[in-house]
Amino acid sequence: MVHTFSCLGRFFVVDTESGSLFETDELTNKLISQKNSPDSFSEGDFSDFSNEDITIASREIDSLIKESVLFSKPPSYVEPPQFDGVIKALCLNVSHHCNLNCRYCFAREPLADDKAALMPFDIAKAAVDFLIAKSGKRRNLEIDFFGGEPLLNMDVVKKTVSYARSLEAESSKHFRFTMTTNGLLLTDTIIDFLNREMDNVIISIDGREQIHNSMRRTKMGADTYGIVLENAMRFKEKRGNKPYYIRGTFTRNNLDFAADALDLFDRGFDKISLEPVVLPRHDSLSIRERDLDAIKHEYEWLAGTILERRKKGVQWSEFFHFNLDIYQGPCESKRLKSCGAGCEYLAVTPDGYLYPCHQFAGESIYKVGHILDSKKLNKDTQLYFSRKNHIYAKPECKSCWAKYYCSGGCAASSVHFEGEMIKPHKISCELMKKRIECALAITAIESE
């Protein structure tokens, strides 16, 4: 399987099975496209090229095919490794309370305001013990502090980190901690703690002031941009070279989201992620099929602008979705089954219940168990995710050129918006493929 495409004014070919990436001229790109789908071409499509040029290009293509780097054969079907009970990561929803009222929040029910919405330390402590007990021989373990807003339960966050660190030596484990926060409560003391203990920190800012304030207001309706931006800039200044991301969400209200990314870059943030909102089709903010062309154009324009900035040495601008390592990418197992939700990765709610990920929290049908009774995990749910959440189980993924880059997409989006896990979320797929094209083009161009 091959995929031909043009991006940033150039022509490229990627071979799905071998992972080979080629930059071509227009003629070679057309000839490969013709081999890929002969019925879609006619002799007139090559009238602008000489017979000699066509012969030379065809010989080069045949040579690459013989070397098994173009139109390479897929490997024999191998059943993805079944879940062996080893868990490597937990998402601790330490707070289901939030101090914002974001218009696109994924939480389908209002988040609670009482103390029950805050995870007590005994639940968090049990989660650390659970992860160690279930991690087998794996040394590196991950805990993500999530919400709601995790800074509303900072005391438990600190105690949890301290407790986990105290067990590292005797358990022969190493914990990697991350936090996703709206940044509203960042103080110098909290920033120093995060910079000391968190391997990655994600702060939510949607871009330009008017865009951010239209989406991310307090429960009383107050703007938050000024406070969050000031806190985030102070955090970034102290962060040094440690990983972080400014993460935003774009909706139908700002399909010109490249301007939001550049606004954040221009304010000194060099690591940006802007995610397309995923909402029910009837929601006024949801991305529609008719928006796809505009969004794809925006991605390509952003890719070109980032490249130009890098060439001029203005600023190293890292856009999360354009990061793609074609030389040292993920292992085969990871490429087949993606995030490991429901198996290697679980989410813990404040009351201690386990779910496949934070986006399934509260849905009883997907409940895996309780953190205080780890012997009674719902193995059926875990096996279901193990068997269904990989590319071989999804008919549309089997024939997709991008399958090894996205690994089938988000399980929660498939379930919530397509009705079942084996049906990838169509709009997310289309946007993912365009981002991959941009990432491949950037990789090829910068390799020069």
Side-chain angles (χ1 to χ4, degrees):
M1 186 188 309
V2 300
H3 175 61
T4 58
F5 65 99
S6 61
C7 187
L8 301 175
R10 304 197 190 190
F11 297 94
F12 301 95
V13 176
V14 60
D15 182 76
T16 300
E17 300 300 339
S18 70
S20 303
L21 173 65
F22 303 96
E23 182 173 358
T24 71
D25 56 24
E26 183 180 5
L27 170 60
T28 305
N29 201 274
K30 274 193 171 185
L31 287 169
I32 294 173
S33 296
Q34 183 188 41
K35 282 183 174 291
N36 210 21
S37 53
D39 295 339
S40 61
F41 280 83
S42 63
E43 290 185 9
D45 291 316
F46 297 94
S47 59
D48 292 337
F49 306 100
S50 70
N51 289 334
E52 181 181 4
D53 286 342
I54 292 173
T55 299
I56 293 173
S58 296
R59 286 174 181 169
E60 292 178 349
I61 292 169
D62 290 340
S63 175
L64 293 173
I65 293 174
K66 288 180 181 179
E67 293 176 19
S68 298
V69 292
L70 194 62
F71 291 99
S72 57
K73 295 180 179 179
S76 300
Y77 172 77
V78 178
E79 180 73 25
Q82 294 300 304
F83 178 56
D84 58 5
V86 172
I87 297 173
K88 67 178 184 179
L90 290 178
C91 174
L92 299 191
N93 285 16
V94 292
S95 171
H96 271 187
H97 177 39
C98 189
N99 47 2
L100 294 187
N101 188 28
C102 300
R103 290 175 59 189
Y104 48 62
C105 183
F106 67 84
R108 283 165 294 284
E109 298 294 335
L111 295 174
D113 289 324
D114 55 27
K115 290 183 179 180
L118 299 180
M119 180 179 289
F121 176 59
D122 67 316
I123 294 294
K125 179 175 179 290
V128 174
D129 295 335
F130 172 87
L131 186 54
I132 291 174
K134 296 291 184 180
S135 60
K137 296 180 180 180
R138 185 180 181 89
R139 181 174 184 271
N140 293 315
L141 307 179
E142 301 173 18
I143 290 181
D144 180 25
F145 295 104
F146 201 74
E149 174 48 49
L151 295 187
L152 292 169
N153 202 6
M154 197 62 197
D155 182 57
V156 166
V157 171
K158 290 180 178 179
K159 288 180 179 178
T160 305
V161 171
S162 178
Y163 177 67
R165 294 284 187 225
S166 73
L167 299 178
E168 285 184 320
E170 65 181 76
S171 63
S172 298
K173 306 292 184 182
H174 173 69
F175 285 90
R176 294 183 73 256
F177 296 104
T178 64
M179 177 179 282
T180 301
T181 172
N182 61 38
L184 201 61
L185 299 178
L186 284 175
T187 64
D188 286 333
T189 300
I190 291 176
I191 288 172
D192 290 342
F193 173 82
L194 298 181
N195 286 338
R196 184 171 65 251
E197 298 291 355
M198 298 292 140
D199 290 85
N200 201 357
V201 178
I202 299 92
I203 301 176
S204 298
I205 304 177
D206 280 355
R208 292 163 291 180
E209 181 173 4
Q210 67 273 24
I211 295 298
H212 179 98
N213 283 335
S214 69
M215 294 292 148
R216 305 182 64 82
R217 293 178 176 272
T218 68
K219 292 183 179 296
M220 300 301 293
D223 293 344
T224 62
Y225 178 81
I227 297 173
V228 174
L229 179 66
E230 180 182 347
N231 290 345
M233 293 180 73
R234 197 167 69 256
F235 163 84
K236 197 266 181 182
E237 183 179 351
K238 290 188 170 189
R239 185 69 175 168
N241 294 324
K242 296 189 71 174
Y244 80 96
Y245 265 97
I246 300 298
R247 185 220 186 272
T249 299
F250 71 85
T251 72
R252 293 196 82 234
N253 283 12
N254 61 314
L255 297 179
D256 61 340
F257 58 89
D260 295 293
L262 295 178
D263 183 81
L264 291 167
F265 285 135
D266 289 342
R267 294 183 184 280
F269 301 112
D270 53 355
K271 295 178 177 62
I272 309 296
S273 172
L274 285 179
E275 309 283 340
V277 73
V278 181
L279 289 170
R281 291 177 175 85
H282 64 266
D283 194 294
S284 63
L285 297 175
S286 67
I287 304 297
R288 317 290 171 82
E289 285 81 358
R290 61 178 177 270
D291 300 323
L292 292 177
D293 286 344
I295 295 174
K296 291 177 182 179
H297 179 272
E298 197 75 0
Y299 275 131
E300 188 162 341
W301 185 84
L302 178 60
T305 302
I306 288 175
L307 266 179
E308 288 302 314
R309 287 184 171 214
R310 289 178 180 175
K311 288 178 183 177
K312 295 176 181 178
V314 175
Q315 178 188 359
W316 179 262
S317 304
E318 183 176 309
F319 187 70
F320 176 76
H321 289 297
F322 295 162
N323 291 341
L324 187 62
D325 188 349
I326 64 171
Y327 304 107
Q328 301 292 328
C331 65
E332 181 180 12
S333 176
K334 181 74 172 176
R335 297 190 334 170
L336 295 179
K337 62 182 181 179
S338 190
C339 67
C343 304
E344 303 170 330
Y345 170 90
L346 295 172
V348 188
T349 55
D351 52 2
Y353 284 101
L354 291 156
Y355 292 91
C357 83
H358 64 275
Q359 294 198 58
F360 287 102
E363 298 181 51
S364 59
I365 190 175
Y366 293 109
K367 191 180 292 182
V368 177
H370 196 278
I371 202 72
L372 297 178
D373 195 5
S374 59
K375 293 182 180 180
K376 293 184 179 180
L377 296 184
N378 187 337
K379 299 293 180 62
D380 290 340
T381 298
Q382 292 183 288
L383 287 174
Y384 175 76
F385 274 78
S386 177
R387 291 169 180 166
K388 298 295 184 182
N389 194 24
H390 62 82
I391 60 175
Y392 289 145
K394 304 177 180 183
E396 293 177 45
C397 293
K398 290 180 182 179
S399 59
C400 178
W401 68 268
K403 59 187 176 182
Y404 296 132
Y405 297 104
C406 84
S407 307
C410 173
S413 293
S414 294
V415 170
H416 294 148
F417 303 108
E418 298 296 340
E420 53 183 319
M421 196 177 301
I422 63 171
K423 291 184 178 180
H425 184 233
K426 293 179 181 179
I427 288 178
S428 295
C429 282
E430 285 298 308
L431 298 184
M432 173 66 80
K433 285 186 279 191
K434 182 58 185 181
R435 295 194 297 257
I436 293 170
E437 287 182 348
C438 289
L440 291 171
I442 289 173
T443 298
I445 293 170
E446 290 196 322
S447 70
E448 298 172 358

